[in-house]
Amino acid sequence: MKKSWKTLLAGSALVLGGISGAFAADPIKIGSILSVTGPAAFLGDPELKTLQMYVDDINKKGGVLGRPLQLVHYDDGSDANKANSFAKRLIDDDKVDVIVGGTTTGSTMSMVPLVERAGVPFISLAGAVVIVEPVKKWVFKTPHTDRMAAEKVFEDMKKRGIAKVALLSETSGFGQSGKKETEAVAGKYGITLVANETYGPKDTDVSPQLTKIKNAPGVQAVFVFGLGQGPAIVTKNYKQLGITLPLYQSHGVASEEYIKLSGPAAEGVRLPAAALLVADKLPASDPQKPVVVAYTKAFNEKWKADVSTFGGHAYDGLMLAVDAIKRAGGTDKAKVRDAIEATKGYIGTGGKVTMSPTDHMGLDLSAFRLLEIKNGDWTLVQ
């Protein structure tokens, strides 16, 4: 089936669906607002590619409940204000049945009041815990939270006898939520933050902050909380300054792009991430293995590009929506919302998902794997 594209101006809507005369029924409209350009592009680009690929694939197999999927997508350029405007358009003009995406926490949170008021099921692809705590009736998310990332990192630090840590966080929504959550859980793991610095997402040099950290008395390791290119700049500056302390990153860098941007400086960096990045290294008994291997193969073949956990979040978001629409028996928004909330034991790229009225993410700490970069590749820390 041929793809039908409709492109509207920059900051565009892309309508995809592989829809032809084979379908007589009205399409199921999947709305999406992603950061395909701007500072968060390396998250948004694989997310869009994933949605396009699987919408096309599902339509080739007959659609959902005999209806084609139609992807209506806007690029917010990593700008939360644009995300808000596009959310209004998806709800009022495009009349979408469900929304999958925002890419970033800022974009997601700008959309939340609109979807809550309109009553549209919304599955976010962003990281911060604020998206699902407190629980919002119509809002769900697929990625692990920043709090879980801090806990996974601190768990490993504790095992290594590290108690005094420097935190370096980005001033983005993701970075600042990560900072807050890291500060909140440090004590639980016997960790003291002996230095606490920030950098801007567009900063091209973070040496001044790292120099302060280097000179902080007693510091045993450094934990960086950011996404996009910033953490790679930090990693290179770290090496240039000759800092030899263990360096940890958050799940905000869980893509090959981080290794490419950081180069040899990334050697030895540890971070929490989804099983997707180490699909081929998982034991055969791991229930996620078939899912992440199949996604990796499909993405590699279609786009001739490496997978990232961010594309995986989009896969999970789409599959959770499709599964809920099937169980709801249609696109009645309240029924679809209830079906998403009733998801039990879905195995995705991010882990095993079991939602409930008090948990609109459905992942526990076991969904995170601790990885270390060795010889320019991901390895599992056993």
Side-chain angles (χ1 to χ4, degrees):
M1 237 175 255
K2 288 181 182 172
K3 293 177 185 174
S4 69
W5 293 82
K6 185 178 174 188
T7 310
L8 305 175
L9 305 173
S12 54
L14 299 179
V15 182
L16 166 94
I19 300 167
S20 77
F23 290 105
D26 287 337
I28 294 169
K29 289 188 176 183
I30 309 286
S32 193
I33 297 164
L34 301 171
S35 303
V36 182
T37 58
F42 93 72
L43 291 75
D45 177 70
E47 289 168 354
L48 177 59
K49 287 185 164 103
T50 298
L51 293 179
Q52 289 172 338
M53 177 170 76
Y54 281 97
V55 164
D56 209 25
D57 184 57
I58 289 165
N59 285 341
K60 282 176 182 166
K61 291 172 181 169
V64 178
L65 303 175
R67 294 167 64 185
L69 294 183
Q70 182 180 2
L71 180 64
V72 186
H73 155 257
Y74 296 96
D75 172 18
D76 66 19
S78 307
D79 181 332
N81 293 323
K82 284 185 185 170
N84 176 277
S85 301
F86 288 136
K88 285 181 190 143
R89 198 182 295 184
L90 284 179
I91 294 163
D92 298 336
D93 302 340
D94 302 313
K95 307 216 178 309
V96 296
D97 297 299
V98 63
I99 298 174
V100 178
T103 296
T104 66
T105 298
S107 289
T108 292
M109 294 310 291
S110 80
M111 294 157 66
V112 164
L114 301 173
V115 298
E116 285 286 290
R117 196 158 56 238
V120 178
F122 175 31
I123 303 174
S124 170
L125 311 180
V129 75
V130 68
I131 296 162
V132 288
E133 286 185 24
V135 170
K136 296 153 196 73
K137 183 174 180 179
W138 296 90
V139 181
F140 303 84
K141 77 190 216 66
T142 56
H144 318 76
T145 65
D146 39 14
R147 181 185 303 154
M148 290 165 70
E151 290 186 323
K152 195 74 178 179
V153 164
F154 287 157
E155 216 175 54
D156 188 60
M157 286 181 176
K158 200 173 174 185
K159 281 181 197 160
R160 295 170 91 181
I162 293 166
K164 292 185 175 178
V165 176
L167 176 63
L168 177 59
S169 49
E170 193 174 275
T171 54
S172 63
F174 175 76
Q176 288 315 284
S177 178
K179 176 180 189 281
K180 185 175 157 225
E181 295 305 324
T182 300
E183 289 166 349
V185 299
K188 180 177 159 186
Y189 293 87
I191 302 279
T192 305
L193 298 177
V194 293
N196 203 333
E197 298 288 331
T198 62
Y199 68 92
K202 292 179 179 173
D203 288 359
T204 55
D205 182 35
V206 193
S207 301
Q209 294 94 317
L210 286 170
T211 301
K212 282 188 194 169
I213 284 169
K214 187 181 180 181
N215 296 329
V219 63
Q220 295 172 287
V222 180
F223 182 25
V224 181
F225 225 113
L227 52 81
Q229 297 191 4
I233 291 166
V234 171
T235 306
K236 287 201 276 196
N237 290 162
Y238 201 84
K239 187 82 168 171
Q240 286 156 1
L241 289 167
I243 305 172
T244 56
L245 300 168
L247 178 61
Y248 287 81
Q249 294 277 356
S250 78
H251 56 319
V253 304
S255 99
E256 292 289 336
E257 192 70 11
Y258 167 71
I259 297 180
K260 283 178 189 156
L261 289 170
S262 303
E267 191 69 14
V269 169
R270 289 190 174 188
L271 69 150
L276 180 57
L277 290 187
V278 284
D280 57 335
K281 298 176 178 81
L282 296 174
S285 59
D286 193 305
Q288 275 186 272
K289 182 145 189 159
V291 177
V292 292
V293 166
Y295 172 79
T296 301
K297 184 172 183 283
F299 193 92
N300 291 160
E301 285 176 4
K302 171 78 176 171
W303 302 106
K304 309 290 183 275
D306 294 317
V307 297
S308 75
T309 56
F310 312 112
H313 299 327
Y315 171 87
D316 291 342
L318 180 65
M319 294 307 165
L320 285 165
V322 165
D323 177 57
I325 289 165
K326 286 177 181 171
R327 284 185 287 115
T331 50
D332 178 286
K333 291 180 177 64
K335 287 180 181 172
V336 171
R337 188 220 77 90
D338 290 352
I340 297 170
E341 190 177 81
T343 299
K344 297 278 180 287
Y346 162 79
I347 305 288
T349 68
K352 183 179 178 181
V353 177
T354 296
M355 305 265 194
S356 75
T358 57
D359 183 356
H360 279 196
M361 175 183 63
L363 295 169
D364 62 23
L365 210 52
S366 69
F368 256 144
R369 315 299 168 109
L370 193 79
L371 309 186
E372 184 175 322
I373 298 166
K374 283 186 183 172
N375 302 316
D377 194 14
W378 310 107
T379 61
L380 268 166
V381 176
Q382 297 304 338

